[in-house]
Short mmCIF file of all heavy atoms in Angstrom, two decimals:
data_model
loop_
_atom_site.label_atom_id
_atom_site.label_comp_id
_atom_site.label_asym_id
_atom_site.label_seq_id
_atom_site.Cartn_x
_atom_site.Cartn_y
_atom_site.Cartn_z
N ARG A 1 101.71 72.30 54.28
CA ARG A 1 101.86 72.27 52.82
C ARG A 1 102.86 71.18 52.43
O ARG A 1 102.66 70.43 51.47
CB ARG A 1 102.33 73.63 52.30
CG ARG A 1 102.36 73.72 50.77
CD ARG A 1 103.01 75.00 50.29
NE ARG A 1 104.45 74.98 50.45
CZ ARG A 1 105.29 74.39 49.60
NH1 ARG A 1 104.85 73.75 48.54
NH2 ARG A 1 106.59 74.43 49.80
N LEU A 2 103.94 71.06 53.22
CA LEU A 2 104.95 70.05 52.95
C LEU A 2 104.37 68.64 53.09
O LEU A 2 104.69 67.75 52.29
CB LEU A 2 106.13 70.25 53.91
CG LEU A 2 107.42 69.53 53.61
CD1 LEU A 2 107.90 69.79 52.20
CD2 LEU A 2 108.48 69.94 54.62
N GLU A 3 103.50 68.44 54.06
CA GLU A 3 102.85 67.13 54.22
C GLU A 3 102.07 66.76 52.96
O GLU A 3 102.14 65.63 52.49
CB GLU A 3 101.92 67.14 55.43
CG GLU A 3 102.65 67.15 56.75
CD GLU A 3 101.74 67.36 57.95
OE1 GLU A 3 100.50 67.45 57.78
OE2 GLU A 3 102.27 67.42 59.08
N ALA A 4 101.33 67.71 52.40
CA ALA A 4 100.56 67.45 51.19
C ALA A 4 101.48 67.16 50.00
O ALA A 4 101.20 66.26 49.18
CB ALA A 4 99.65 68.64 50.88
N LEU A 5 102.59 67.87 49.91
CA LEU A 5 103.54 67.66 48.82
C LEU A 5 104.17 66.27 48.90
O LEU A 5 104.29 65.57 47.89
CB LEU A 5 104.63 68.74 48.91
CG LEU A 5 105.41 69.07 47.66
CD1 LEU A 5 104.52 69.60 46.55
CD2 LEU A 5 106.48 70.11 48.00
N VAL A 6 104.51 65.85 50.11
CA VAL A 6 105.10 64.51 50.30
C VAL A 6 104.07 63.43 49.97
O VAL A 6 104.41 62.42 49.35
CB VAL A 6 105.67 64.37 51.73
CG1 VAL A 6 105.98 62.92 52.06
CG2 VAL A 6 106.92 65.24 51.88
N GLU A 7 102.84 63.64 50.34
CA GLU A 7 101.79 62.66 49.98
C GLU A 7 101.65 62.54 48.47
O GLU A 7 101.49 61.45 47.93
CB GLU A 7 100.45 63.06 50.60
CG GLU A 7 100.28 62.65 52.03
CD GLU A 7 100.29 61.14 52.25
OE1 GLU A 7 99.84 60.37 51.38
OE2 GLU A 7 100.77 60.72 53.32
N ARG A 8 101.73 63.66 47.78
CA ARG A 8 101.55 63.65 46.32
C ARG A 8 102.74 63.02 45.60
O ARG A 8 102.57 62.20 44.69
CB ARG A 8 101.33 65.07 45.81
CG ARG A 8 101.19 65.13 44.31
CD ARG A 8 100.90 66.52 43.82
NE ARG A 8 100.89 66.53 42.37
CZ ARG A 8 100.86 67.63 41.66
NH1 ARG A 8 100.78 68.80 42.24
NH2 ARG A 8 100.88 67.56 40.35
N TYR A 9 103.98 63.42 45.96
CA TYR A 9 105.16 62.99 45.22
C TYR A 9 105.85 61.76 45.80
O TYR A 9 106.68 61.15 45.12
CB TYR A 9 106.15 64.15 45.08
CG TYR A 9 105.66 65.17 44.08
CD1 TYR A 9 104.92 66.26 44.49
CD2 TYR A 9 105.92 65.02 42.72
CE1 TYR A 9 104.45 67.18 43.57
CE2 TYR A 9 105.46 65.93 41.79
CZ TYR A 9 104.72 67.01 42.22
OH TYR A 9 104.25 67.91 41.31
N ARG A 10 105.57 61.43 47.03
CA ARG A 10 106.03 60.21 47.68
C ARG A 10 107.54 59.97 47.57
O ARG A 10 107.98 58.92 47.11
CB ARG A 10 105.24 59.02 47.16
CG ARG A 10 103.73 59.27 47.26
CD ARG A 10 102.88 58.09 46.96
NE ARG A 10 102.81 57.09 48.00
CZ ARG A 10 102.17 57.23 49.17
NH1 ARG A 10 101.55 58.33 49.45
NH2 ARG A 10 102.16 56.24 50.03
N PRO A 11 108.35 60.93 48.01
CA PRO A 11 109.79 60.69 48.00
C PRO A 11 110.16 59.60 49.00
O PRO A 11 109.45 59.38 49.98
CB PRO A 11 110.37 62.04 48.44
CG PRO A 11 109.29 62.63 49.30
CD PRO A 11 107.99 62.20 48.65
N ALA A 12 111.28 58.94 48.75
CA ALA A 12 111.77 57.97 49.72
C ALA A 12 112.19 58.69 51.00
O ALA A 12 111.94 58.21 52.10
CB ALA A 12 112.95 57.18 49.15
N TYR A 13 112.81 59.87 50.85
CA TYR A 13 113.24 60.68 51.98
C TYR A 13 112.80 62.12 51.80
O TYR A 13 112.88 62.66 50.69
CB TYR A 13 114.78 60.69 52.13
CG TYR A 13 115.32 59.54 52.92
CD1 TYR A 13 115.76 58.39 52.29
CD2 TYR A 13 115.42 59.62 54.31
CE1 TYR A 13 116.28 57.32 53.02
CE2 TYR A 13 115.93 58.56 55.04
CZ TYR A 13 116.35 57.42 54.39
OH TYR A 13 116.85 56.38 55.13
N LEU A 14 112.39 62.72 52.90
CA LEU A 14 112.23 64.16 53.00
C LEU A 14 113.42 64.63 53.83
O LEU A 14 113.63 64.14 54.94
CB LEU A 14 110.92 64.56 53.68
CG LEU A 14 110.83 66.04 54.05
CD1 LEU A 14 110.79 66.91 52.80
CD2 LEU A 14 109.62 66.30 54.93
N ALA A 15 114.20 65.57 53.28
CA ALA A 15 115.38 66.09 53.98
C ALA A 15 115.17 67.58 54.23
O ALA A 15 115.17 68.37 53.29
CB ALA A 15 116.64 65.85 53.16
N VAL A 16 114.95 67.95 55.47
CA VAL A 16 114.69 69.34 55.84
C VAL A 16 116.00 69.99 56.27
O VAL A 16 116.64 69.53 57.22
CB VAL A 16 113.63 69.44 56.96
CG1 VAL A 16 113.39 70.90 57.32
CG2 VAL A 16 112.34 68.76 56.53
N ALA A 17 116.40 71.03 55.56
CA ALA A 17 117.65 71.74 55.84
C ALA A 17 117.36 72.92 56.77
O ALA A 17 116.90 73.97 56.33
CB ALA A 17 118.30 72.22 54.54
N GLY A 18 117.61 72.71 58.04
CA GLY A 18 117.38 73.75 59.04
C GLY A 18 116.67 73.17 60.25
O GLY A 18 115.44 73.11 60.28
N VAL A 19 117.42 72.72 61.22
CA VAL A 19 116.85 72.03 62.38
C VAL A 19 115.96 72.96 63.21
O VAL A 19 114.91 72.53 63.70
CB VAL A 19 117.94 71.35 63.23
CG1 VAL A 19 118.84 72.35 63.92
CG2 VAL A 19 117.32 70.39 64.24
N THR A 20 116.34 74.21 63.37
CA THR A 20 115.54 75.12 64.20
C THR A 20 114.17 75.37 63.56
O THR A 20 113.15 75.33 64.25
CB THR A 20 116.29 76.44 64.42
OG1 THR A 20 117.55 76.14 65.04
CG2 THR A 20 115.51 77.39 65.31
N ALA A 21 114.15 75.59 62.26
CA ALA A 21 112.87 75.79 61.57
C ALA A 21 112.03 74.51 61.63
O ALA A 21 110.81 74.57 61.81
CB ALA A 21 113.11 76.21 60.12
N TYR A 22 112.66 73.35 61.49
CA TYR A 22 111.94 72.09 61.59
C TYR A 22 111.28 71.96 62.96
O TYR A 22 110.11 71.60 63.07
CB TYR A 22 112.87 70.89 61.32
CG TYR A 22 112.15 69.59 61.52
CD1 TYR A 22 111.39 69.05 60.48
CD2 TYR A 22 112.16 68.93 62.74
CE1 TYR A 22 110.68 67.88 60.66
CE2 TYR A 22 111.45 67.75 62.93
CZ TYR A 22 110.71 67.24 61.89
OH TYR A 22 109.99 66.08 62.07
N ARG A 23 112.04 72.26 64.00
CA ARG A 23 111.50 72.16 65.36
C ARG A 23 110.25 73.02 65.51
O ARG A 23 109.26 72.60 66.12
CB ARG A 23 112.56 72.60 66.37
CG ARG A 23 113.71 71.65 66.53
CD ARG A 23 114.82 72.27 67.37
NE ARG A 23 115.93 71.35 67.53
CZ ARG A 23 117.14 71.74 67.85
NH1 ARG A 23 117.41 73.03 68.06
NH2 ARG A 23 118.10 70.85 67.98
N THR A 24 110.30 74.23 64.98
CA THR A 24 109.15 75.14 65.07
C THR A 24 107.99 74.66 64.22
O THR A 24 106.85 74.63 64.68
CB THR A 24 109.57 76.56 64.64
OG1 THR A 24 110.63 77.00 65.49
CG2 THR A 24 108.41 77.54 64.71
N ALA A 25 108.26 74.30 62.98
CA ALA A 25 107.19 73.91 62.05
C ALA A 25 106.42 72.69 62.53
O ALA A 25 105.21 72.60 62.31
CB ALA A 25 107.78 73.65 60.66
N PHE A 26 107.11 71.77 63.19
CA PHE A 26 106.47 70.50 63.55
C PHE A 26 106.35 70.26 65.05
O PHE A 26 105.97 69.17 65.47
CB PHE A 26 107.18 69.35 62.85
CG PHE A 26 107.13 69.48 61.36
CD1 PHE A 26 108.21 69.97 60.65
CD2 PHE A 26 105.96 69.20 60.67
CE1 PHE A 26 108.15 70.13 59.28
CE2 PHE A 26 105.89 69.36 59.31
CZ PHE A 26 106.97 69.83 58.61
N GLY A 27 106.67 71.27 65.85
CA GLY A 27 106.53 71.14 67.29
C GLY A 27 107.39 70.04 67.87
O GLY A 27 106.97 69.32 68.77
N ARG A 28 108.61 69.93 67.37
CA ARG A 28 109.55 68.90 67.84
C ARG A 28 110.80 69.59 68.40
O ARG A 28 111.85 69.63 67.75
CB ARG A 28 109.96 67.98 66.68
CG ARG A 28 108.82 67.27 65.99
CD ARG A 28 108.48 66.00 66.76
NE ARG A 28 107.64 65.10 65.99
CZ ARG A 28 106.32 65.13 66.00
NH1 ARG A 28 105.69 66.06 66.68
NH2 ARG A 28 105.61 64.26 65.33
N PRO A 29 110.71 70.14 69.61
CA PRO A 29 111.81 70.96 70.14
C PRO A 29 113.12 70.21 70.40
O PRO A 29 114.16 70.84 70.52
CB PRO A 29 111.23 71.51 71.44
CG PRO A 29 110.14 70.57 71.82
CD PRO A 29 109.59 70.03 70.54
N ARG A 30 113.09 68.91 70.47
CA ARG A 30 114.32 68.16 70.79
C ARG A 30 114.96 67.52 69.56
O ARG A 30 115.94 66.78 69.68
CB ARG A 30 114.02 67.08 71.82
CG ARG A 30 113.50 67.63 73.13
CD ARG A 30 113.45 66.54 74.17
NE ARG A 30 112.62 66.81 75.32
CZ ARG A 30 112.85 67.72 76.24
NH1 ARG A 30 113.85 68.52 76.12
NH2 ARG A 30 112.04 67.87 77.27
#
């Protein structure tokens, strides 16, 4: 859903607050 929102609104930066949740949501464990 976040990918679609970023495509629509085109922010210069997406800032995700919460590294553990980010790792899970995007499969980026490191």
Side-chain angles (χ1 to χ4, degrees):
R1 186 188 74 81
L2 194 53
E3 288 172 3
L5 202 61
V6 166
E7 278 297 328
R8 178 177 175 190
Y9 286 93
R10 308 188 76 71
Y13 274 94
L14 169 66
V16 180
V19 68
T20 302
Y22 176 84
R23 289 171 179 159
T24 301
F26 300 101
R28 302 275 194 270
R30 299 190 198 293

